[in-house]
Amino acid sequence: MENGLIEPSKHENKRKPLSDNLKSIFFLLPSWVLLLIFFIGPMILTFIFSFTNLALTGAEASQLQFIGFENFTRMFQDPEFRTSVWNTIIFVFFSAVLGQCFLGFLIAFLMREKNKTFRRVIGLIIIAAWVTPEVVVSFCWVAFLSESGTANWVLGLLNIEPIAWLFTFPMASVIIANIWRGTAFSMMVFQSALDDIPKEVEEAAIMDGASRWKIVTKITIPMVKGTIATNLMLVTLQTLGVFTLIYTMTGGGPGVSTATLPVFMYKQAFVSYQLGYGTAISLVLLVIGAIASLIYMKTLKVKV
């Protein structure tokens, strides 16, 4: 009480009128409906169908049955599934972690001290690959690596026999193509984070006699650790779902040498028409993505 007046309690000040709560619910309702229809609903259906014999042809197509863990038992006994898991790990590690994230950080770091014109020109060249549709990128790389493509033309100038790149080095080919296309995203993310680091901090370290390497490892990287973790998660999850690029360039072949989990899932669901089995594979893909995200957060000690 002050000057004979009773002050309202803090709890009463924070309490919102019922009409405000109803307005908030009303404006958020369309977003929740869209989220339910296009995200939560399909996830629930995927989980349910993974325990069924859902198929597009045959007796299973007319008689949907709950078969428990039969799809998962069949999956873990399938040698092609184990090969596709290994292919996925190789593709994600070299394409996302060592490729896009490392190269994106390196480009952003090297461009940090350059003038605006240079940064814009290089940035536009790199971003051009990112904004190009994935199927177009795939056909460009098929043409580049074909028997009469640019890669073999360069080898011819060096008197080296042409190489059937997509048959001799199929995994390396799709990894390089995906790095070429996706590095721009990591570059932009890291460029924004590096620009936010106060120059005074690094200048003080230089005055104290710190080497360039120590500044990068002890100051720069720790200050963008959260951005590194976020970018790793986003790029890893995006790379886990890459399908068009691989399927257009190699079709998962030769044999199953580039058949990652999305390609294997597609073949089982829409080539063999076993949708129940395909949805079970998609659940495994979802679990792998969740585990990778947890590992990144645990390793880099990022709080969510």
Side-chain angles (χ1 to χ4, degrees):
M1 180 182 292
E2 187 177 338
N3 297 328
L5 298 175
I6 300 175
E7 293 183 357
S9 64
K10 293 182 179 179
H11 183 71
E12 290 177 347
N13 287 336
K14 291 182 178 179
R15 186 179 298 167
K16 290 184 178 180
L18 181 61
S19 59
D20 288 350
N21 290 329
L22 290 175
K23 285 179 182 178
S24 300
I25 294 172
F26 176 77
F27 284 114
L28 288 173
L29 187 61
S31 300
W32 281 105
V33 171
L34 291 174
L35 192 64
L36 180 65
I37 294 174
F38 295 105
F39 184 72
I40 299 175
M43 281 189 65
I44 294 172
L45 288 175
T46 298
F47 182 79
I48 293 172
F49 289 149
S50 65
F51 294 96
T52 67
N53 64 343
L54 181 65
L56 291 177
T57 59
E60 295 88 352
S62 59
Q63 296 180 353
L64 181 65
Q65 294 180 352
F66 179 80
I67 58 175
F69 291 94
E70 188 176 317
N71 285 327
F72 295 93
T73 303
R74 171 188 170 190
M75 185 193 312
F76 291 113
Q77 292 176 347
D78 190 343
E80 286 192 19
F81 170 77
R82 294 193 290 271
T83 301
S84 67
V85 171
W86 180 242
N87 288 340
T88 302
I89 293 171
I90 293 174
F91 180 71
V92 171
F93 180 75
F94 287 100
S95 176
V97 180
L98 289 185
Q100 295 178 44
C101 290
F102 176 77
L103 190 59
F105 181 85
L106 182 62
I107 294 172
F109 183 79
L110 293 175
M111 289 175 61
R112 191 180 177 196
E113 305 282 333
K114 302 298 184 291
N115 60 61
K116 289 184 178 180
T117 303
F118 179 84
R119 291 178 63 173
R120 286 174 182 170
V121 172
I122 299 300
L124 284 173
I125 293 172
I126 297 173
I127 292 172
W130 184 52
V131 298
T132 305
E134 194 171 5
V135 66
V136 177
V137 171
S138 305
F139 281 119
C140 287
W141 275 93
V142 168
F144 180 78
L145 298 173
S146 66
E147 192 172 332
S148 57
T150 307
N152 282 327
W153 176 76
V154 173
L155 292 181
L157 295 177
L158 301 173
N159 294 321
I160 300 175
E161 290 293 322
I163 300 172
W165 297 97
L166 295 176
F167 291 93
T168 309
F169 306 106
M171 182 57 77
S173 299
V174 295
I175 286 173
I176 293 171
N178 195 55
I179 292 173
W180 182 82
R181 181 178 184 270
T183 299
F185 176 78
S186 296
M187 181 200 72
M188 290 188 294
V189 171
F190 289 128
Q191 202 170 53
S192 177
L194 290 172
D195 287 343
D196 289 338
I197 298 177
K199 291 185 178 180
E200 294 80 8
V201 177
E202 294 183 349
E203 289 174 355
I206 292 172
M207 292 180 66
D208 289 339
S211 64
R212 191 64 175 172
W213 175 252
K214 282 194 173 181
I215 292 173
V216 173
T217 56
K218 301 296 183 181
I219 296 176
T220 306
I221 292 178
M223 291 188 76
V224 297
K225 184 173 65 174
T227 303
I228 292 173
T230 302
N231 185 72
L232 273 171
M233 283 188 285
L234 291 175
V235 173
T236 297
L237 294 175
Q238 186 273 332
T239 306
L240 274 172
V242 169
F243 167 77
T244 305
L245 184 136
I246 296 175
Y247 197 77
T248 304
M249 289 184 66
T250 65
V256 292
S257 58
T258 57
T260 56
L261 278 173
V263 175
F264 181 66
M265 176 181 64
Y266 172 82
K267 288 183 176 181
Q268 297 302 319
F270 299 106
V271 177
S272 299
Y273 304 119
Q274 301 297 312
L275 291 181
Y277 188 39
T279 53
I281 298 169
S282 70
L283 276 185
V284 173
L285 191 61
L286 180 64
V287 171
I288 292 174
I291 292 173
S293 299
L294 290 174
I295 291 173
Y296 289 146
M297 288 188 290
K298 187 72 175 177
T299 304
L300 297 172
K301 298 178 182 179
V302 175
K303 294 181 180 179
V304 180

